[in-house]
Amino acid sequence: MTQAYQRCTRCIMDTTVPGITFDAKGECNFCEVHNHMDKAFPLGEAGRQKVQELAADIKRLGKGKKYDCVLGVSGGRDSSFTLWYCVVKLGLRPLAVHFNDGFGNPVAGENMVKACQKLDVEMRTITSDWRESKDLKIAFLKASTPDMEEGTDVGIATALYGVAAKEGIQRIVIGQSFRTEGIAPLTWNYLDGKYLKAVHKRYGTVPLRPWKADDPGFHLDIPQMFYYAFVRRIKTVTLLYHVDYVRADVDQLLERELAWVNPGAHYFDDLYQSVIYYLNRTKFNIDRRLFNYSALVRSGQMPREVALEKVKHINGIEDEKVINLCIKRLGLTREEFEQIVKAPPKTFRDYPNNYSLIRKLRWPIKVLSQLNLIPESAYDKYFNCGT
């Protein structure tokens, strides 16, 4: 039975989102997740105290080492602020790690270099094997699923874990905030190493390099996560969950302190986002801004009316020149690209994956999230953000 169209009365999520539900007040389950997380990760004095505890833990484990944490950077707002905050406010000694898959925005690249130079932080770029990276992107286009950035998402995670393992570092800091980004609906952005390998096996043509602890490539399945979390005792720290982080204020701070330049849009530190937003809209009837703007609305950083007006218009990230550039980098003609994406829409459920196993491991995953052995948002991602 088709669900009648409905939009949340608090945020702007609507029934285009798979698995969305509404309570008696008309508020959606994603708002409920936000409420739960907002209570679990309070700001103000409690947040400041938690940040100091996290910083003390990082410093203790990093004592006597060149670096006390690995920090993922992309040149975007979130990671640039997190880097500045860790160095200037907390006195940490991060090793900045960037994953390069060949589609980085040059503006974001300059931001990273300037920030690391001004803050006297070493930046290490993990460049993927271009053949593997390109092959995975084409494979996911052929798979016809909306989570077509799977290879890059896994690559970013493995770059951070791989460097941490190589350097003997036990803490990874990531610049993510549910208050400004939200959490993507499960079907829109499903992350699973088994799923990646299944799509690659069906549509890939370039063999993936074998996994090594300090050079994981595109391998991050349950065995690898067990190794990094339990054998190497590596934890992730989502610092911005505890920091009063207001985007408009942060933009001014970064421009003043780091000569930071806005790449043009959220997530546009990655040029391939142009292709993703274009295909999500035209093929899957997905507007990823729904969960981003909804987070800002819930956090009081964007009026609901403004968010509703913005989503009436095509996202400026869908730049035709950038889309054509990305297609060219994939080694495809526009005609070949259009032929590939004509395939009927599918989801991760159409391919082998770990989802049924993950569902069975609900409570262990909740505990691991609470212990930061996996990102804190993991539990809500798999169990409270759609089905």
Side-chain angles (χ1 to χ4, degrees):
M1 184 176 178
T2 304
Q3 185 179 11
Y5 181 81
Q6 187 174 350
R7 189 186 293 276
C8 180
T9 55
R10 177 182 173 190
C11 69
I12 65 168
M13 298 287 270
D14 62 17
T15 42
T16 63
V17 178
I20 194 169
T21 59
F22 302 92
D23 64 16
K25 295 185 296 182
E27 293 189 7
C28 72
N29 51 316
F30 291 87
C31 284
E32 184 179 353
V33 170
H34 178 95
N35 293 342
H36 162 74
M37 296 183 74
D38 199 40
K39 185 177 180 180
F41 307 106
L43 299 176
E45 183 56 35
R48 288 188 286 273
Q49 183 176 336
K50 182 63 177 179
V51 166
Q52 292 303 319
E53 291 174 2
L54 292 170
D57 172 67
I58 291 171
K59 290 176 180 178
R60 177 181 61 81
L61 291 171
K63 189 174 182 179
K65 299 178 182 179
K66 187 176 181 180
Y67 319 101
D68 50 26
C69 60
V70 164
L71 196 154
V73 293
S74 67
R77 176 193 294 109
D78 298 343
S79 67
S80 297
F81 174 75
T82 304
L83 180 65
W84 176 86
Y85 193 90
C86 283
V87 175
V88 176
K89 293 295 186 180
L90 300 180
L92 298 178
R93 296 174 289 108
L95 170 58
V97 174
H98 172 62
F99 177 71
N100 174 23
D101 68 349
F103 289 86
N105 187 328
V107 174
E110 292 178 10
N111 284 342
M112 286 187 291
V113 172
K114 287 186 295 186
C116 289
Q117 287 177 343
K118 286 179 177 290
L119 297 171
D120 194 25
V121 170
E122 180 184 339
M123 185 176 84
R124 188 172 300 176
T125 298
I126 305 301
T127 301
S128 66
D129 184 307
W130 174 238
R131 296 167 301 171
E132 292 180 359
S133 178
K134 181 173 70 171
D135 192 53
L136 277 170
K137 277 187 163 50
I138 294 173
F140 272 87
L141 288 176
K142 293 178 177 178
S144 202
T145 62
D147 41 18
M148 58 196 81
E149 190 79 314
E150 186 82 5
T152 297
D153 289 343
V154 170
I156 291 170
T158 58
L160 298 175
Y161 280 115
V163 171
K166 184 175 183 177
E167 297 293 336
I169 299 170
Q170 289 183 271
R171 294 295 179 265
I172 294 172
V173 180
I174 54 177
Q176 180 189 49
S177 172
F178 68 91
R179 292 184 174 92
T180 56
E181 290 186 86
I183 302 176
L186 185 69
T187 305
W188 291 5
N189 192 30
Y190 177 74
L191 190 64
D192 179 348
K194 182 178 179 179
Y195 168 50
L196 180 145
K197 286 185 285 187
V199 169
H200 175 263
K201 183 178 181 180
R202 185 173 302 187
Y203 298 110
T205 60
V206 176
L208 297 178
R209 289 165 294 150
W211 177 83
K212 295 180 182 178
D214 59 358
D215 183 22
F218 291 97
H219 300 279
L220 193 61
D221 207 339
I222 291 175
Q224 289 82 26
M225 281 303 302
F226 180 89
Y227 172 81
Y228 290 125
F230 292 100
V231 177
R232 301 304 296 265
R233 306 295 295 173
I234 297 171
K235 292 185 178 183
T236 57
V237 178
T238 45
L239 198 69
L240 297 186
Y241 278 25
H242 314 282
V243 175
D244 293 282
Y245 178 72
V246 178
R247 279 190 176 176
D249 297 339
V250 166
D251 281 2
Q252 295 179 19
L253 181 149
L254 293 177
E255 290 166 8
R256 181 178 68 249
E257 298 288 326
L258 303 177
W260 180 83
V261 177
N262 194 318
H266 191 52
Y267 297 135
F268 208 34
D269 40 10
D270 173 13
L271 295 180
Y272 198 69
Q273 292 292 326
S274 280
V275 175
I276 293 171
Y277 270 85
Y278 166 71
L279 287 180
N280 274 186
R281 176 178 63 84
T282 60
K283 179 172 180 173
F284 300 99
N285 190 32
I286 288 173
D287 188 341
R288 297 176 63 84
R289 293 174 296 177
L290 289 182
F291 67 87
N292 289 149
Y293 291 169
S294 288
L296 292 170
V297 170
R298 297 182 200 110
S299 300
Q301 296 191 36
M302 180 183 288
R304 185 171 183 269
E305 296 74 21
V306 172
L308 288 170
E309 179 60 31
K310 283 179 175 289
V311 295
K312 289 179 182 178
H313 308 282
I314 295 175
N315 193 346
I317 205 172
E318 291 184 38
D319 186 319
E320 187 67 18
K321 291 181 179 178
V322 176
I323 292 171
N324 285 329
L325 172 64
C326 291
I327 293 171
K328 185 177 181 180
R329 285 190 183 177
L330 290 176
L332 301 172
T333 65
R334 186 64 187 240
E335 292 72 24
E336 289 170 331
F337 170 80
E338 296 294 350
Q339 191 62 40
I340 290 172
V341 301
K342 277 183 180 179
K346 296 182 179 180
T347 73
F348 73 88
R349 293 179 179 82
D350 292 295
Y351 301 93
N353 60 72
N354 281 316
Y355 189 53
S356 60
L357 176 59
I358 289 171
R359 299 293 295 184
K360 293 176 182 176
L361 297 175
R362 180 180 186 123
W363 296 114
I365 289 174
K366 186 171 188 177
V367 172
L368 293 176
S369 294
Q370 293 170 339
L371 295 175
N372 305 118
L373 289 170
I374 57 178
E376 291 163 310
S377 61
Y379 178 79
D380 285 303
K381 171 72 174 180
Y382 288 110
F383 298 101
N384 295 323
C385 290
T387 57

